């Protein structure tokens, strides 16, 4: 009987350590609105990812500071569509997920 006490004392911390693993939460981007064209859809995706990175790195939110918003990777006639999609995606992330503690 006395042999079980040291064995239990060894196994209890190992058992509890298995419960202390970090939980990873993945936020999947929602689909862009159906009325968006291909350029706006790409902007929506890029904006969503930019907001996700800002929150992950504790950077204050701001659409205008992102390079892809300032200089979109699209031809000049499609710049406004891209920026509109980018802004919508950025806002979609910020309004869909609660901010992390201390943000």
């Amino acid at each position: 009987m006395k042999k079980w006490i040291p064995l239990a004392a060894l196994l209890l911390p190992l058992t509890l350590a298995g419960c202390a693993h970090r939980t990873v939460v993945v936020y999947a981007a929602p689909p862009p609105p159906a009325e968006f064209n291909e350029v706006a859809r790409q902007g929506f995706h890029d904006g969503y990812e930019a907001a996700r990175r800002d929150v992950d790195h504790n950077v204050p939110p701001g659409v205008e500071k992102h390079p892809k918003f300032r200089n979109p990777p699209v031809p000049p006639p499609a710049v406004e569509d891209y920026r509109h999609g980018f802004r919508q995606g950025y806002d979609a992330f910020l309004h869909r997920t609660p901010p992390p503690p201390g943000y």
Side-chain angles (χ1 to χ4, degrees):
M1 181 67 179
K2 290 186 180 185
K3 292 181 182 178
W4 290 100
I5 293 174
L7 181 62
L10 283 173
L11 292 179
L12 183 64
L14 293 175
T15 304
L16 293 177
C19 297
H21 65 279
R22 186 174 173 184
T23 302
V24 177
V25 178
V26 177
Y27 295 108
E35 66 270 5
F36 277 11
N37 61 20
E38 192 59 36
V39 172
R41 286 184 187 146
Q42 181 62 40
F44 184 90
H45 175 72
D46 291 347
Y48 193 90
E49 290 302 313
R52 186 186 59 77
R53 279 192 304 274
D54 284 353
V55 170
D56 285 348
H57 295 110
N58 291 326
V59 176
V63 175
E64 291 81 15
K65 68 180 179 210
H66 288 280
K68 284 189 174 182
F69 183 81
R70 289 191 316 246
N71 300 311
V74 296
V79 167
E80 288 308 313
D81 286 342
Y82 182 86
R83 284 183 176 160
H84 177 70
F86 192 96
R87 185 175 276 118
Q88 294 292 325
Y90 199 91
D91 290 341
F93 182 83
L94 293 180
H95 295 292
R96 181 171 188 254
T97 58
Y103 186 71

